[in-house]
């Protein structure tokens, strides 16, 4: 039975990761077309860094990811703190409402954001589809993930530590800055890295909220695939996979740290 379960687990992991391994292998293939491996080369990666369009799209992706991660981390941390430490009407409903951006399909989220921005533009003349709308769209789903991660960390903390700080004369902000935040920092950092990874990989929400001059790497990959898959696309996909795996591993390591 144990061998059967191990074999089943191996098949599942192959099904999940074999396509990724194929993309990584083809990014080093010297052949421009097809899947026949003719030799090892790094020229596709060199071509990426020499393409000004790719550098521009990479800068857009990095800008969106960093700004949205910073905003969502601050808002998500404060929201998690309010849900754990304070009582107010509708707290239970708000807590379950956090799961909506997590379980709602990305297509529904993207279309709803597009309609929201269109309605706002008709009513107020602002905002037009640009990097700003992409950032706002990413914050909407990133904040939910950050809040859930930080909240799970705060639930592990002993409230007596904050009470002791207040007994010693610390005010509310001082208690948060010198006691709560350092203890919750692994969860905050893990939530931020998760939000950063989600932003780097996102395509659907970006597709509906991006305007002229707001092309990101996932959008560039999608447009390139429609013209035919080239090894340059494989190389770019490999770089995105590597960045995502690095940030996810770092976030997992931080969540494993004990208080």
């Amino acid at each position: 039975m144990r061998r059967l379960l191990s074999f089943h687990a191996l098949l599942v992991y192959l099904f999940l990761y074999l396509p990724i391994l194929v993309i990584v292998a083809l990014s080093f293939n010297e052949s421009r077309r097809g899947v026949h491996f003719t030799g090892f080369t790094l020229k596709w990666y060199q071509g990426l860094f020499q393409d000004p369009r790719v550098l521009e799209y990479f800068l857009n992706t990095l800008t969106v990811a960093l700004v949205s991660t910073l905003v969502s981390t601050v808002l998500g941390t404060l929201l998690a703190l309010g849900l754990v430490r304070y009582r107010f009407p509708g707290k239970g409903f708000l807590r379950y409402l956090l799961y909506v951006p997590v379980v709602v399909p990305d297509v529904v989220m993207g279309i709803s954001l597009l309609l929201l921005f269109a309605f706002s533009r008709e009513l107020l003349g602002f905002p037009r589809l640009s990097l700003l709308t992409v950032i706002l769209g990413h914050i909407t789903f990133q904040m939910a993930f950050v809040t859930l991660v930080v909240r799970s960390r705060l639930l592990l903390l002993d409230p007596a530590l904050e009470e002791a700080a207040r007994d010693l004369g610390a005010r509310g902000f001082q208690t948060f800055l010198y006691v709560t935040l350092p203890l919750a920092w692994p969860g905050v950092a893990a939530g931020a890295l998760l939000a950063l990874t989600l932003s780097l990989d996102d395509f659907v929400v970006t597709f509906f909220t991006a305007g002229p001059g707001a092309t990101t790497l996932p959008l560039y990959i999608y447009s390139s695939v429609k013209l035919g898959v080239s090894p340059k696309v494989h190389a770019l996909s490999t770089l995105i996979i590597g960045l995502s795996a690095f940030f996810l591993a770092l976030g997992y390591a931080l969540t494993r740290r004990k208080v």
Side-chain angles (χ1 to χ4, degrees), residues 186-208:
V188 175
L193 291 174
L194 176 60
L196 181 65
T197 304
L198 292 172
S199 179
L200 290 174
D201 293 342
D202 181 76
F203 167 76
V204 178
V205 174
T206 306
F207 179 80
F208 285 101

Side-chain angles (χ1 to χ4, degrees), residues 84 93 121 125 135 160 180 184 245:
V84 174
F93 175 75
R121 187 168 61 252
I135 292 173
T180 307

